[in-house]
Amino acid sequence: QVLASLNHPNIAQIYGLEESGETRALVMELVEGPTLAERIAAPTAAHRATLQLDETLAIARQIADALEAAHDKNIIHRDLKPANIKVKSDGVVKVLDFGLAKAMNVSAVPASGGQAGETPALQNSPTLSLTAQAGFSPQPTRAGMILGTAAYMSPEQAKGLAVDRRTDIWAFGCVLFEMLTGKRAFEGETLSDVLAAVIRADPDWTAIPERTPQTIQRLIHRCLTKDLKHRLQAIGDARITVEETISGTDSVAASYDRRPLGQEKTGERSSPPHGALPWALAGALALALVVVTLLHFNTKSPPAYPIRSLIDAPVKASFAFEQPDGAPVLSPDGTWLVFPARDASGKESLWVRPLDSLTAQPLQGTEAAEFPFWSPDSRQVGFFQDGKLKKIDVTGGPPVLICNAAGARGGAWSANGVIIFAPQSQSSTIGLAHGGGLVEVPAAGGTPAAVATHIGKGEVFSNRWPVFLPDGRHFIYLSGDLSATGTSKLGIYIGELGSHEARFLLQADSEAVYASPGYLLFLRGNTLMAQRFDAGNQKLEGEAFPVAENVASPREYRLGLFSVSQTGLLVLAKTSRADMGGQLVWLDAGGKQVGVGPAGAAAPRLSPDGKRLAYASGNLSTLTGDIWLEDLARGVQTRFTFGPRINFAPVWSPDGSRIAYASLLKRGNFDIFVKDSSGAGNGKPLLASGGINIPTDWSQDGRYILFTSSRPSGKPGIWVLPLFGDHKPFPYLQGQFSADSAVFSPDGRWVAYESDESGGHEVYVSPFPPGGGKWQVSQGGGGSPQWIRDGNELYYVAPGGKLMEASVKENGSAVELGTPRELFHEPLINSETEGDDYSVAPDGKRFLVGLAPQGASPPLTLVTHWPALFKKP
């Protein structure tokens, strides 16, 4: 009865109430024509068109008139939005659904034109939150209740506080803003994001066309003031303002341009009457002074507030950051996010998500791709796959080859059409050695050419993760000893295309990225830091200051999982664990779990008799950790090494009496030590030649140890350490590619190893001593080979965590290989940084496997207006 009393030409009339069983329905006036939401979205759903200013003001006046009539009868709409406003063919506006914002099951509300069960547009769906009893209360909105539509709610309404007519004034401002700009004043990816924006954020005031009359701009600011006491107090004042602007009685708006917003006049201007020009100029000057004064004192935009929201992994998929295959990377314009992800089948690829969408899609053809980076126009993504640099259009199409790039570590794309990237020139064992300089190549394709970069002098060092500065010529990159975190031996350098110089810029423990209007962001430890940076002069300003804590930087690649757009967005992944490895479990040959081992363990190695277990445990972020032993029969664990730095990669002697392992005693140098497996005494050095030396296997006759080496004095690759004679190491396999995880066959005549010489990681078998042929065992990728005791079978890990088995039959000086078959499929921890994460029992019937942490991936954090997180120094 109250609603039916609203008899007004701009309000849809209610004629009666009908009942059918338990269903009640209001009989309302039929209003033909599009809704205002449909009119704003014209001519197509994909391209919004702003209304002509005359039409916008005419509609706004009628909406204000309708609200004024309702407020005069103490009725509040509470759900004013373009979808509840009809515009008839004769221009008459009808406001619908007065007072009908009520409780609904949002998940059951059909989307416009859809079927029941579809997810509606969150910013248009009615929402309700009650602190007391469930269900709809016909009483006016009170504290504890949220009633209305998220994108048009007032802050007090979104908080569930008591509301009055000023909540309709807020919604009127939202509608007027949307008519002028073609976009909502408050948006977000989820319902909670929209509510957060309403409560804390400000509209994009710059979206309002500059030729909008100042009276209307001030009116929108007054309507969208969050403080109730300073918000416009009566909708009648809004109606008067709009009417005066239309009639030209307001001095500032008297001569507003009545063309469509954003459209300029064509044709010649008429000349003023003779003698009128001086007076016209004087009048224009006076008017300009008035406008400037009003702009300065009345239309100063409020400061932007940072808004935090979460981005979940795709449905039935997880983020693949732990390898790492790359970081989440925002496009320069802030409209896209690209990231590596793993689907339910274990297949990894690059995914993209438009930030105006709630879903992400995989980029077809990017399986096993690594380290994505954006083109400057935000249309293409560069990435590395199968030892090659490629690019792909995010809107569709297959990948395009640019050049060869085996084992690269990051790339950057300039506005001048040049890509620089870090090619691998040393072994990537535990991700610490990646020396050499950067190279450049045309984005259209070509042959890479060297560019000037920092070159270490007789030390293990790396150049990686380049980023272009705005001029497209200068670039920054991480360089130095990756184990020397927190020191000047690892930091950000700056170079220039066409120059032979590279200079140190600042100390950092990860890559650095440039963010407009002039910051560098980088990690120190796991803290994201920012520092002011003059990109034009390539100079730092002030001191670095923290932005976020506990930012992930997995596997010691020194790749921080953070990114920025040039529009004020920041995305980052929080660290969820710092320990090595995951949960060790026993699996049978069919993949069935038959036992549990220690947690937080990596590089498990069973003793030759299968009665003891050696494994590494520690903290990768601080490069500290030790080797532990477990008596499997008693379940007793004992510490085997005692720092002071990291000790890992245990390898048993054939009789089980000793254990060889890698130890970091001096920054940048991993030496090989040996210790009695009883734990007695201290470790003794077996090899202390500098560089990074990681033992991988001990021959059955006890005479040789295989190890992977990145040595300043020699080429990287697989080496052999004799335990007799002069103990002088000699190379087994060397080349300009990665080769590691080498293991002896039980009879010592063959060596199985992993190499990326073909562009992707595969498992090979070659004779020992070195010389002769080689045979590829894996098909479609593989690593971490291990022999069964009789030497007739070889196991390895295929992409996606598949444990594979292949028969190996010796035939004179050659081997015959069977077709690999899958034993089971589990989320095995990647072994590139910590040694093989599985071990085969002596009987070959059980496997001790390190599983990656299970459960949904932790969400990413997205921050808008991130510079507002801190006070500028």
Side-chain angles (χ1 to χ4, degrees), residues 56-135:
T56 295
L57 297 183
I59 293 173
R61 182 191 62 77
Q62 295 178 74
I63 296 172
D65 204 6
L67 291 176
E68 186 177 15
H71 291 179
D72 287 343
K73 292 183 177 292
N74 295 318
I75 297 174
I76 306 170
H77 193 294
R78 295 182 294 180
D79 197 24
L80 182 70
K81 58 186 177 184
N84 281 344
I85 300 168
K86 285 263 192 172
V87 183
K88 299 173 64 177
S89 58
D90 59 0
V92 174
V93 171
K94 290 282 188 176
V95 179
L96 314 177
D97 294 347
F98 247 91
L100 296 185
K102 65 177 183 178
M104 292 186 183
N105 181 354
V106 175
S107 63
V109 177
S112 177
Q115 302 296 320
E118 292 182 357
T119 301
L122 290 174
Q123 294 169 334
N124 283 332
S125 58
T127 60
L128 176 67
S129 175
L130 291 173
T131 58
Q133 60 186 9

Side-chain angles (χ1 to χ4, degrees), residues 593-606:
Q593 184 172 324
V594 294
V596 179
R605 283 297 184 101
L606 291 167

Side-chain angles (χ1 to χ4, degrees), residues 17-42:
L17 177 69
E18 294 288 340
E19 297 186 28
S20 177
E22 297 182 356
T23 301
R24 294 183 177 184
L26 289 171
V27 181
M28 300 185 67
E29 171 188 4
L30 173 63
V31 182
E32 297 181 340
T35 66
L36 181 57
E38 293 169 337
R39 178 64 188 85
I40 293 174

Side-chain angles (χ1 to χ4, degrees), residues 413-431:
W413 194 327
S414 80
N416 300 323
V418 174
I419 291 177
I420 55 175
F421 65 93
Q424 181 172 328
S425 62
Q426 291 190 11
S427 169
S428 62
T429 302
I430 73 166

Side-chain angles (χ1 to χ4, degrees), residues 468-471 473-476 494 503 505-506 513-521 530-543:
F468 270 110
L469 296 178
D471 64 7
R473 299 192 329 273
H474 291 87
F475 54 89
I476 54 177
I494 186 167
R503 62 182 177 89
L505 190 62
L506 58 87
V513 298
Y514 174 81
S516 178
Y519 294 94
L520 291 183
L521 277 78
Q531 187 165 359
R532 293 301 300 261
F533 179 68
D534 182 346
N537 295 315
Q538 296 88 49
K539 292 183 179 179
L540 295 167
E541 299 175 353
E543 298 294 328

Side-chain angles (χ1 to χ4, degrees), residues 698-774:
W698 201 321
S699 65
Q700 287 297 309
D701 60 11
R703 293 168 57 83
Y704 302 99
I705 288 179
L706 286 170
F707 67 98
T708 304
S709 179
S710 297
R711 308 171 66 198
S713 59
K715 294 182 179 180
I718 297 171
W719 287 66
V720 181
L721 175 63
L723 299 181
F724 58 91
D726 60 5
H727 292 71
K728 183 177 180 180
F730 61 88
Y732 177 79
L733 181 66
Q734 290 181 301
Q736 299 300 319
F737 46 80
S738 170
D740 49 33
S741 300
V743 288
F744 285 109
S745 62
D747 61 7
R749 289 172 49 83
W750 306 92
V751 170
Y753 61 91
E754 173 186 345
S755 173
D756 65 357
E757 61 187 83
S758 64
H761 289 266
E762 300 286 358
V763 173
Y764 299 86
V765 170
S766 289
F768 184 84
K774 62 180 176 182

Side-chain angles (χ1 to χ4, degrees), residues 640-672:
F640 182 67
T641 63
F642 297 85
R645 301 291 292 175
I646 190 170
N647 301 286
F648 71 112
V651 172
W652 291 89
S653 65
D655 61 1
S657 64
R658 293 179 293 170
I659 295 177
Y661 58 94
S663 181
L664 175 64
L665 296 181
K666 178 183 178 183
R667 285 187 178 273
N669 292 332
F670 281 85
D671 298 331
I672 298 178

